[in-house]
Amino acid sequence: MSRPDSAPPPQANPPVRHGPRVPGPVETVVFAWRWLRRMRTALYLLGVLGLLSIVATLVPQRPNVPGTVAAWRAGTEGPGRFVSGLIDAIGGYDVYGSRLFLIVLVLLFTSLTACLIPRYRALWRLRRAVPPRSRDLSVHPEQASIETAAPPEEALAVAQGVLTEDRWKLRPDDADAPSQVAAERGLLLREGGSLLFHTSFYVLLVAIVAGQLIGFSGQVAIVEGEQWADAPVGYWTYRPGRLWSEADHRGFVLGLERFEVEWTDDAQPILFRSTVEVTEADGTTSTETVGSNDPLLVDGMKVLQLDWGYAARVVVAADGEIVHDAFVPMTATETAGLWHGAVKAPALDPDLGLDLLFLASAPEGLNGPEPTGAPWLEEPALLFDVYRGDLRFDRVQNVNALDTTAMELVAQTYLRENQALELDGSVRVAFPEIRRWVAFQISDRPTAPVLLVAAGLILLGLLPALYAYRRRVWVAVTTDLELGRTVVSLAGRSFQRPEAFSGEFAEIVETLRQRLGTPSTGGEGEPRPARETEVVPR
Amino acid sequence: MTAAELSETLFSPVTVVLYGLAMAAYLYAMAFTRVDRAEGDAAVAGVRGQRIATTLAIAGLATHLGHLVARSVASGGRVPWGNMFEYSSVMAFGVVLAGVVVFQWRLKRPEVVGFLILGGLLTMGAAALVWSEPGPLVAILQSHWLKIHVFAIMAAATIFTVAFIFNGLFLLRDTAERRVARAQEAKLTGSTVGAAYDATATEVADPVTQATEGRRNPDDLEAVDHDRLYGDALRAAINPLWLFLGTWVGTATIAWTFWYAGDVNRFFTVNTAMALAALVAWRLVHRLPSAATLDSLTYRTISFGFPVWTFAVLAGAIWAEQSWGRYWGWDPKETSAFLTWIGYAAYLHARATRGMRGRGAAWIGIGAFWILMFTYFTVNLVVTGLHSYAGLQ
């Protein structure tokens, strides 16, 4: 017997060589959409996002530590100028503000959208899916059989009842095979949970981006006994989102009544608490406290205690006229018990600048104040370097530091609280009082409730997505003519977590056995796994 | 004796010794226990060893709990998880507790408990490397969220540590099984001479025998012989030198942190301890559950830990919003916690993808644990960020 010759005749279809084809715009879009629709693509993009954030973890970021970045760029710190240039080329000093990060984020959003839409459609179709019948019950991992005196139709009806009570989805009766019940469960819950999880993650990302656009965050320092009003000009640092407008400020007033700080004996801070007087935009006044983990909500804006320091009142008078009288907020330095600040008095000619060092605890020793390093007040001393010259107000100024490039150091001295001294005859400097200042962060995050809900839904979706399992059960009946009994066969298959399904299947069998009035005999009717091998759950 | 001293003594030597003995007893019992699980028969031998092991492990857990309570008292009554030493100690406790309660009593898998205790001991060793004196908490940590967020992070890290042990054992056992199977295939297809006398050939061809390996009736001398031959083949399939070196180098990618933060001795100690642990697993590879079982245990453990980690990160964001004024600031710790989340999410996705199941997914799981260790040790000890509570000077 010879085979029919099915081979094509030679050169029947000579290969046509096309030149390099340029895909059209529609084709490109379709191709891109298909690429983005793959789960793998979304995972790759998430991976790239992860890699970028590793870079941001290891490389100093300009918005957080501008000083360190400047040092890396200059080559005085970090891996040197060459590597630094490479980092700069990929935008490594501001990863989260870089174009690459934006592109990856946009692609990830598109990819997640492209992944989710077809799954929603599939879930909608799944709603109406009918559990399939099984031709051969003996192929399934879970098996059991029950003998009963009840007629076959009744046995099937009872089985349907048991499964319906247990909220199984049954195959509707049809004329073809009245001798079998097919039921399914868990698919909607598992797939629905997974979709809820992924959708919530998507919403979370959208809310984060939206929050950065319409939100606001700013910082302000208030000295004890002073007041501050929420207005664009009042902030030390001002970080509005792109879509934040100055009219969005509420205009409430904060007055810092007092600030408490407590330390252990070895100077570990254990308590920071501010007592503030709040005057809301509508004029209502109340006294509140702001603690370390205890922010305050005023007119929908969050007031959070960030930092604190000492504020020395420094009065500078020249020829009897006061040219500077204010509390100078001083920031903590790396040395324990030492704070730093600056006074700038451009009203004098030449300009006067004071570079201040504040020692919180410095009892008088043989050679003047001897700092103990403790952060609490104990014979505090205000050390200052007096500079005369040009304060260089033509340059960008740092509030807490002097630009001494055009100034000359004329004196170095110190004052105790309530002391004053004369400098070169006409200038008088006094240190009448020490207080504290507290830095507050004032922020408005309108999408925060959305984030909270999305976070909750992520968890809510995750549990069924991981633990719900899709399983099917079949019940068939045959009549044993010799004994005149009905044999009910059950079979079950689980697509995930077979170990959990085994127990559930046994329970179904037991319930059915009781309903059919068959005593639990052990032996024949016992549910038994079809195979002895260990089953691997997905 | 002060509470601080008591806590230190209970940690080491008391708990370390008890765990060490318990581990030895569990591993010893593994070699003698032959239970046919399907029949439910009592173990023929090694039951006593297992009983002693359980008693020792429970005693160790009790003294470990005592250590944690004493530590809490010595720190002024706060929860005993405020710095790195304490986190590690609690995690070691969690690993051993999970071993006895979940895997021995609930899932009836006493053969993995010895390795979990070994993991607990290694965690305690890592804790000892970052030892710090008990003391009160810094102001920012005084919050209810400390209990919630940090506890959830520790719980998830504990679960992931357990999963990592299973994952490592899976890779070892799977490699051995595959190599033996491949060798048999080559032998059988190459030449049929001698195949009839090759006891291991039938073992490999029959998955049922493979799965129930090590749990058959010892009266059946032939079966014992089969077991022994197959066991020998499994052990011979892995080159201990390569395993030692691989584990040593793999561990070094994290352990350099100890060098950076401490001294070179710690670096060598950590690597060598991990590599020796791998050798212990190799020596007992034939007593391990089948690769399929270990794979399933890994997956179940990770899918249990993942929601906990998710919750912990979300709780951390809520706490950060209260404490630092922003829910997410790409602080190094936040970033790497997010990366850990991505790593384990990738594992779960890999398991759901047909082509990636088994070894591919397992290596992703190892990678995810590597990120977790990076998050824990490297970010704590090397990178400066807002989460610098390691408690080290």
Side-chain angles (χ1 to χ4, degrees), chain A residues 407-424:
Chain A
M407 301 192 93
E408 196 186 337
L409 181 66
V410 294
Q412 278 184 307
T413 179
Y414 73 96
L415 281 176
R416 295 282 182 184
E417 200 172 354
N418 286 324
Q419 285 184 344
L421 64 83
E422 299 272 333
L423 298 170
D424 59 41

Side-chain angles (χ1 to χ4, degrees), chain A residues 111-373:
Chain A
S111 172
L112 278 173
T113 317
C115 284
L116 283 175
I117 289 173
R119 286 185 64 188
Y120 270 107
R121 281 209 299 258
L123 186 74
W124 184 251
R125 284 197 295 269
L126 221 69
R127 208 175 44 93
R128 281 182 286 190
V130 175
R133 273 199 295 268
S134 174
R135 275 189 199 160
D136 180 3
L137 262 58
S138 67
V139 299
H140 301 293
E142 300 290 342
Q143 301 275 323
S145 75
I146 303 169
E147 283 183 22
T148 174
E153 296 77 27
E154 196 192 318
L156 269 189
V158 171
Q160 276 181 331
V162 168
L163 291 170
T164 312
E165 274 169 35
D166 220 8
R167 296 200 310 275
W168 283 73
K169 183 177 182 182
L170 295 183
R171 186 182 175 89
D173 285 317
D174 45 11
D176 293 8
S179 58
Q180 194 181 79
V181 175
E184 185 172 44
R185 210 181 154 182
L187 178 54
L188 269 182
L189 194 59
R190 189 179 177 96
E191 179 63 13
S194 170
L195 265 177
L196 180 64
F197 167 77
H198 285 92
T199 311
S200 308
F201 182 61
Y202 182 83
V203 169
L204 188 85
L205 287 178
V206 171
I208 288 174
V209 173
Q212 273 172 359
L213 288 177
I214 60 176
F216 164 80
S217 161
Q219 290 170 5
V220 64
I222 309 177
V223 177
E224 279 176 305
E226 294 193 343
Q227 285 199 324
W228 168 86
D230 169 39
V233 288
Y235 286 90
W236 272 23
T237 59
Y238 192 70
R239 288 203 206 105
R242 288 252 170 97
L243 303 177
W244 171 270
S245 88
E246 296 192 348
D248 292 334
H249 283 287
R250 316 290 199 267
F252 60 86
V253 176
L254 277 187
L256 178 63
E257 287 186 354
R258 67 177 181 279
F259 173 69
E260 295 156 87
V261 51
E262 281 173 19
W263 293 273
T264 61
D265 290 341
D266 57 347
Q268 288 279 339
I270 48 170
L271 174 87
F272 299 122
R273 188 166 54 212
S274 306
T275 307
V276 289
E277 193 191 50
V278 182
T279 312
E280 289 179 36
D282 60 5
T284 46
T285 307
S286 59
T287 305
E288 311 273 357
T289 56
V290 188
S292 278
N293 277 300
D294 182 19
L296 181 69
L297 210 62
V298 184
D299 285 340
M301 286 175 96
K302 189 174 255 182
V303 177
L304 185 103
Q305 182 181 275
L306 278 184
D307 197 5
W308 73 281
Y310 287 105
R313 185 176 165 203
V314 178
V315 183
V316 182
D319 304 322
E321 193 188 338
I322 291 172
V323 294
H324 182 276
D325 180 3
F327 283 94
V328 183
M330 286 176 295
T331 50
T333 61
E334 285 185 8
T335 314
L338 183 68
W339 276 260
H340 178 250
V343 168
K344 297 170 190 181
L348 289 179
D349 187 31
D351 298 349
L352 172 87
L354 302 177
D355 196 28
L356 303 177
L357 280 180
F358 179 72
L359 300 167
S361 168
E364 197 68 22
L366 290 175
N367 304 311
E370 284 179 359
T372 62

Side-chain angles (χ1 to χ4, degrees), chain A residues 39-40 43 46-47 49-51 53-54 56-58 64 96 101 190 197-198 201 204 207-209 211-212 217 264 266 268-272 291-295 302 304-306 441 443 445 447-448 451-452 454-456 458-459 462-463 466-467 497 499 532-538, chain B residues 38 109 136-143 207-208 211-212 215 289-290 292-293 295-296 299-300 303-308 310-311 314 318-333 335-336 338-339 341-342 345-346 348-354 356-357 374 379 383:
Chain A
M39 180 173 82
R40 199 165 273 214
L43 283 177
L46 213 54
L49 206 68
L51 279 178
S53 49
I54 290 184
T57 309
L58 298 175
N64 303 345
Y96 304 115
F101 189 77
R190 189 179 177 96
F197 167 77
H198 285 92
F201 182 61
L204 188 85
I208 288 174
V209 173
Q212 273 172 359
S217 161
T264 61
D266 57 347
Q268 288 279 339
I270 48 170
L271 174 87
F272 299 122
S292 278
N293 277 300
D294 182 19
K302 189 174 255 182
L304 185 103
Q305 182 181 275
L306 278 184
Q441 175 181 280
S443 58
R445 305 195 201 282
T447 58
L451 288 169
L452 205 59
I458 279 183
L459 284 171
L462 195 52
L463 299 179
L466 286 172
Y467 300 131
R497 302 186 64 204
E499 75 287 342
E532 300 285 308
T533 42
E534 286 169 277
V535 194
V536 193
R538 285 185 213 185
Chain B
R109 291 267 172 216
L137 287 179
V138 291
I140 199 143
L141 286 180
Q142 289 168 2
S143 158
V208 178
T212 54
R215 299 187 204 108
S290 71
T293 306
D295 184 37
S296 148
Y299 172 71
R300 287 167 70 183
S303 62
F304 180 58
F306 186 71
V308 183
T310 311
F311 168 76
L314 293 175
I318 295 172
W319 186 14
E321 172 67 23
Q322 285 199 3
S323 179
W324 296 326
R326 83 287 182 294
Y327 47 82
W328 198 264
W330 296 107
D331 173 66
K333 202 51 166 288
T335 308
S336 56
F338 173 62
L339 285 177
W341 187 81
I342 290 183
L348 292 176
H349 280 95
R351 280 290 305 232
T353 315
R354 247 164 218 293
M356 286 291 278
R357 263 183 232 162
F374 178 84
V379 175
V383 187

Side-chain angles (χ1 to χ4, degrees), chain B residues 51-68:
Chain B
R51 240 178 245 152
I52 292 171
T54 313
T55 314
L56 284 166
I58 290 170
L61 282 169
T63 55
H64 201 159
L65 194 64
H67 148 74
L68 292 174

